Amino acid sequence: HRRLAQPVADSPRAYCVAETWPVMTHMQTVSNRCLPLSEWPSLDQAAWTTALQPSDVPDKSHVAAYWSKDTRRMVVGGYGRWLTWLGERGFLDSSTSAAGRVLPERLSLYIADLRHAVGEFTVAARVEQLGNAMRTMAPKQNWHWVQRTADRIRSAAKASRKRAQPP
C-alpha cells in the first residue's frame, strides 16, 4: 500500500489509520471503519498514553513505548476496529475500561462478524492487534487467551490454504 503523509479529504481513498491502510470510500461503511485514537473513549486514550511512556524499569506495562511507529499504528488500527464493532453492537460503554469490554463471548461474536467481511488471516491479525493493545493498556491481566485465539485462527487458515493448493 502507498503511504501518504496526510489523508486528503476529497481523495477517493479513506484511511483506516492516518497514513496507511487505504480503503476505498465507496466500500467504507461503519463495519470496516477503524475508530481513530482521537475518538476513543477517554479511559482508553489515557491507558494508551500511559502504555507509550518509557519506563526505567523494564516491565510489560510500557512495552508499547519500545514498539516501532508502524507497530503502534497497526495496533491502534486494530483496536480502533474493535471499538467500531463494539459501537455497532451496542457494547461500547465509555465508562467501562478497555479490559472490561474484552470478554470471551464478545470476542467470539467479533470473530464471527469479521469472517463475513474479511479473510481468515485478516481475522487473525485483528485478534492479535486487540491482544497487543490489551497487554499494553491493561498489563496486569492475562491476555494470553486472546493471542492463543489468534494463533488458532492463523493455523487453521494455513492448513486450509495448503489443502486448497493443487498437488
Side-chain angles (χ1 to χ4, degrees), residues 19-22 29 47 66 68 78 89 94 98 113 132 143 162:
E19 300 182 356
T20 63
W21 299 294
T29 64
Y66 305 99
S68 71
R89 288 295 201 129
S94 61
D113 284 353
N132 285 336
W143 298 106
K162 283 183 181 179

Side-chain angles (χ1 to χ4, degrees), residues 151-166:
D151 292 344
R152 279 194 301 273
I153 294 167
R154 189 173 291 107
S155 292
K158 286 179 183 177
S160 171
R161 181 180 278 178
K162 283 183 181 179
R163 283 192 305 270
Q165 292 177 349

Side-chain angles (χ1 to χ4, degrees), residues 25-84:
T25 53
H26 71 275
M27 292 171 42
Q28 187 170 19
T29 64
V30 175
S31 304
N32 67 12
R33 180 174 186 254
C34 299
L35 197 66
L37 178 59
S38 61
E39 295 178 31
W40 289 10
S42 58
L43 290 174
D44 300 54
Q45 288 184 34
W48 182 252
T49 300
T50 299
L52 294 178
Q53 300 305 311
S55 173
D56 293 334
V57 180
D59 67 354
K60 61 184 179 178
S61 64
H62 295 275
V63 69
Y66 305 99
W67 285 345
S68 71
K69 183 179 173 183
D70 288 339
T71 299
R72 289 180 191 177
R73 195 177 342 203
M74 194 173 353
V75 172
V76 166
Y79 187 69
R81 177 66 191 88
W82 165 254
L83 290 175
T84 296

